[in-house]
Amino acid sequence: MCGIVGAVRESDTSGFLLEGLRRLEYRGYDSAGVVVINQSGRLERARTVGKVKELERALTQTPLAGTTGLAHTRWATHGGVSETNAHPHICNGTLALVCNGIVENHEALRHSQQEAGLAFTSQTDTEVVVHQVYLHLQNGLDLADAVRATMDELAGSFALAVVHAGEPGRLVAARQGPPLLLGRAEKESFVASDINALLPATRRYQVLENGDVADIRGASCAIKDSGGSPVERVIHTSTQSGAGAELGEHRHFMQKEIHEQPRAVSDTLEDRLLGDRVLEDAFGSEAGRIFDATRQVLIIACGTSYHAGLVARHWLEYVGVPCEVEVASEYRYRRHAAREGTLVVTISQSGETADTLAALEEAKRQGVVGALVVCNVAESSLVRESDLVFMTHCGPEVGVASTKTFVSAMTGLLLLALVLSRRHGFDSGFEAHVVHQIRTLPGALEAALAMEDAIAEMAQVFSDKEHALFLGRGAHFPIAMEGALKLKEISYIHAEAYPAGELKHGPLALVDEKMPVVAVAPNDLLIEKLKSNLEEVRARRGRLYLFADPASGLESREDVTVLHVAPVDSAIAPIIYTVPLQLLSYHVALIKGTDVDKPRNLAKSVTVE
Ligand code: M6R
């Protein structure tokens, strides 16, 4: 999943392209590159390994200038992280191309292109695309027709943009899978993987559909659909804030975003509650009709968002709504038995996760009563593809490790469970009780954040560990999974989560005095069961680190460190117990000195499968 930005401008475009890359860096930061057509009608390119700031440094030393250009930030799929594998790729010194996605038949194409005498300079799948366009140009096709012919020969999922040195002022873009937007201004045109990259130049944009090829010449843009017929795509006006997120007094975005959680949740709740009821309209104007027809819920998501779904399953099934939760990358390729009355719910911070989008498409193909998305980005693909939308109002989340959007998505899913509970015989007293607890969330989150100093001290123990186990039971098992994911993601410590009752079925063999075992222990119906599981760990000389309710009876002793979490109702406990685990992973990463906001090998938004 890479980020593409391109422009045909009246004046120099290199500043716009660089700013676009900064805004798209969440899609990948293995390497970055830019190409422009200079005043003499030649391609000038710069590429660097690492983050966009490396490219910025290179361009300060050797600036590029031109009114037409392309840029790219890469998350490596085919071919290692190197300057030669960085985009833009160039063929014959005249044709430059950037691509986001995967070309599945690249090996066969590479073979036939080599036979045709073309030389390769990279190991990427993308280089075959620029060569293929070039071959079609050689055969007399016009640039846009050459791109169309190439698209028809490619298997896979990709979005691309191409410029030719002989045609300054022209850019051709195409989409077959990952999103690609056209930015429209009075005298100029732009292309980008998302709206953020366009905002410094324009708010007006069109969304290319699958199979579209857009032929941009200055301010004019002709789009042809997959059948080659001219089409008009709606011009939207973005209402998204153009400002990038600021770090303020914090050391990292992750830390800032953890501390923003009380505000993110209270903003997410604003106008969603009336007295002691949840407003059904919070999910969209069609919510009543779709929820009336809902017999079960199918939740689809990836990573942290998947964990939010697993927590939601407990809430939904508690109120009598059958619920399945699926990892999107598995669901999309599995055969399913369709179930009548299914509401499909996707959860996604970005709204652009390729697997989740594809899984939603598959669920719709099976037949659903409606599609609801819980999302943090209003102008995103999943929002466009859904009938109902619950927006989390977190503001931009910059840290690759999701924090505030996880907590806010869970809050939205708890509201969903309440709205559906009305249709399953739960009375208004039940809803009123839970709504009352939900209103305490911002304060309870503040109280959990106040544990930071004690957690920072606890983190010392973890910094030289290679492994850790995380335990939880019931709705807190997904919280343990999330804690383990956070630790893996930003401190590169191998961490596994288990339902505490499952330890004795195998994982207990891993436990010895070197294995730290973290557990979340709210004072719920399973607390005594959990305590027995913790004793099993102690009996094997395991070292316990517990986040526990004071009423649990769990106290620190020689082999057990307990940090008490202020008491909370079990309805909201999973949301609150998330915070200490986020802080633990953050402080371990601080001690280890890893790149907290941009951990190695990852990207904020995963737009390839
Ligand atoms: O944007 P999404 O919520 O769809 O992203 C899904 C996952 O890629 C994401 O949650 C990932 O697991 C996070 N980096 C975890 O912190």
Side-chain angles (χ1 to χ4, degrees):
M1 59 267 168
C2 309
I4 291 176
V5 57
V8 177
R9 306 206 73 169
E10 291 213 299
S11 55
D12 177 45
T13 190
S14 47
F16 167 80
L17 294 176
L18 207 51
E19 176 58 20
L21 287 187
R22 281 188 212 107
R23 288 164 179 255
L24 292 175
E25 201 173 20
Y26 71 90
R27 302 170 80 93
Y29 37 80
D30 288 341
S31 56
V34 60
V35 72
V36 293
I37 305 174
N38 71 15
Q39 268 196 328
S40 338
R42 291 217 177 81
L43 293 179
E44 275 195 75
R45 173 175 68 175
R47 297 182 292 175
T48 49
V49 167
K51 305 198 172 101
V52 172
K53 63 175 189 284
E54 301 303 329
L55 183 66
E56 207 174 320
R57 232 171 257 147
L59 290 176
T60 315
Q61 277 165 16
T62 319
L64 304 183
T67 56
T68 301
L70 302 171
H72 185 270
T73 178
R74 178 168 189 249
W75 185 80
T77 55
H78 294 68
V81 178
S82 67
E83 197 179 307
T84 47
N85 285 337
H87 302 213
H89 289 286
I90 292 181
C91 183
N92 188 43
T94 52
L95 191 67
L97 180 139
V98 289
C99 181
N100 169 31
I102 291 177
V103 177
E104 288 167 3
N105 56 341
H106 67 103
E107 277 176 9
L109 286 167
R110 180 179 276 252
H111 193 67
S112 65
Q113 291 170 358
Q114 275 165 338
E115 282 186 347
L118 290 170
F120 282 79
T121 58
S122 81
Q123 287 81 48
T124 63
D125 52 342
T126 299
E127 198 175 358
V128 302
V129 186
V130 70
H131 284 343
Q132 202 65 13
V133 176
Y134 173 76
L135 289 174
H136 286 299
L137 289 175
Q138 289 292 93
N139 286 336
L141 291 189
D142 159 81
L143 186 59
D145 294 337
V147 168
R148 161 71 61 210
T150 301
M151 272 184 94
D152 293 345
E153 291 158 342
L154 300 180
S157 171
F158 46 83
L160 56 88
V162 55
V163 295
H164 191 281
E167 297 192 77
R170 187 176 185 195
L171 183 158
V172 175
R175 174 185 181 187
Q176 187 57 56
L180 196 57
L181 310 185
L182 301 181
R184 309 298 301 272
E186 211 185 317
K187 295 182 175 157
E188 303 175 317
S189 299
F190 309 87
V191 56
S193 297
D194 85 16
I195 185 68
N196 292 305
L198 297 176
L199 289 176
T202 182
R203 292 196 162 273
R204 296 173 63 240
Y205 70 98
Q206 291 165 295
V207 182
L208 287 187
E209 292 193 5
N210 278 339
D212 282 358
V213 173
D215 189 358
I216 295 168
R217 293 165 196 259
S220 86
C221 177
I223 306 174
K224 288 190 180 160
D225 67 12
S226 55
S229 307
V231 277
E232 295 295 330
R233 299 290 176 217
V234 181
I235 298 187
H236 305 272
T237 303
S238 175
T239 53
Q240 204 157 295
S241 152
E246 301 292 333
L247 198 50
E249 81 226 26
H250 293 92
R251 212 165 144 188
H252 296 102
F253 278 104
M254 183 185 181
Q255 185 198 28
K256 175 178 182 245
E257 288 156 4
I258 290 172
H259 281 271
E260 279 175 347
Q261 292 180 122
R263 200 264 315 138
V265 167
S266 76
D267 286 358
T268 296
L269 290 173
E270 203 179 314
D271 298 333
R272 265 80 188 257
L273 303 176
L274 187 64
D276 46 18
R277 270 177 80 79
V278 179
L279 291 171
E280 205 154 271
D281 277 0
F283 296 89
S285 54
E286 289 291 294
R289 181 184 62 74
I290 291 175
F291 292 161
D292 282 346
T294 297
R295 297 291 163 267
Q296 66 246 321
V297 169
L298 166 63
I299 297 180
I300 299 175
C302 302
T304 289
S305 294
Y306 169 69
H307 297 157
L310 291 175
V311 174
R313 176 169 64 189
H314 285 268
W315 292 327
L316 287 162
E317 297 235 329
Y318 184 88
V319 299
V321 182
C323 176
E324 282 182 88
V325 191
E326 296 265 6
V327 168
S329 55
E330 286 295 311
Y331 178 85
R332 63 184 288 192
Y333 292 118
R334 202 161 58 70
R335 273 172 70 90
H336 331 264
R339 292 172 180 83
E340 239 178 75
T342 297
L343 169 70
V344 59
V345 178
T346 55
I347 308 166
S348 177
Q349 180 284 130
S350 60
E352 299 295 351
T353 301
D355 284 321
T356 310
L357 273 159
L360 171 62
E361 203 177 307
E362 171 60 18
K364 286 186 185 168
R365 210 180 51 77
Q366 294 282 326
V368 293
V369 294
L372 162 68
V373 65
V374 177
C375 190
N376 195 47
V377 179
E379 289 167 31
S380 64
S381 303
L382 276 168
V383 169
R384 284 193 287 272
E385 297 299 323
S386 301
D387 311 301
L388 302 179
V389 176
F390 183 92
M391 293 306 305
T392 50
H393 294 153
C394 299
E397 187 176 72
V398 177
V400 163
S402 294
T403 52
K404 60 180 178 176
T405 56
F406 175 62
V407 155
S408 303
M410 284 194 288
T411 305
L413 291 161
L414 184 52
L415 301 191
L416 173 68
L418 287 179
V419 164
L420 293 178
S421 76
R422 296 173 198 158
R423 292 158 170 89
H424 289 263
F426 280 77
D427 64 15
S428 56
F430 170 78
E431 184 167 341
H433 167 75
V434 181
V435 167
H436 176 73
Q437 298 307 325
I438 289 172
R439 288 189 188 280
T440 68
L441 271 171
L445 287 165
E446 289 288 3
L449 288 169
M451 299 169 71
E452 182 159 11
D453 289 348
I455 293 171
E457 206 178 313
M458 185 193 259
Q460 307 281 344
V461 176
F462 289 78
S463 59
D464 64 346
K465 299 284 186 234
E466 287 181 5
H467 309 277
L469 287 178
F470 283 69
L471 305 179
R473 294 200 69 143
H476 290 84
F477 168 50
I479 299 306
M481 291 170 81
E482 176 60 9
L485 177 61
K486 290 283 95 92
L487 194 69
K488 280 187 272 219
E489 205 176 13
I490 61 166
S491 35
Y492 316 149
I493 293 174
H494 170 231
E496 293 288 336
Y498 287 97
E502 184 66 11
L503 267 193
K504 56 187 177 292
H505 298 290
L508 208 48
L510 294 170
V511 172
D512 62 14
E513 67 281 5
K514 287 187 272 188
M515 175 66 86
V517 179
V518 181
V520 277
N523 192 29
D524 60 14
L525 293 174
L526 290 165
I527 187 66
E528 292 308 323
K529 303 279 175 209
L530 177 72
K531 281 160 77 176
S532 302
N533 302 143
L534 299 178
E535 285 306 315
E536 292 161 10
V537 172
R538 285 188 67 219
R540 274 92 191 162
R541 291 179 296 131
R543 194 71 182 78
L544 288 168
Y545 299 89
L546 308 179
F547 298 104
D549 188 293
S552 65
L554 289 162
E555 299 293 341
S556 292
R557 37 190 158 160
E558 202 196 338
D559 52 352
V560 185
T561 304
V562 180
L563 293 184
H564 284 138
V565 179
V568 282
D569 188 272
S570 58
I572 58 164
I575 302 178
I576 301 307
Y577 277 77
T578 299
V579 177
L581 299 187
Q582 294 171 337
L583 288 170
L584 179 65
S585 65
Y586 174 69
H587 282 282
V588 175
L590 263 194
I591 298 167
K592 292 195 75 175
T594 58
D595 190 342
V596 172
D597 287 332
K598 293 195 175 90
R600 68 185 184 198
N601 305 340
L602 300 181
K604 180 70 183 156
S605 178
V606 186
T607 58
V608 288
E609 74 163 303

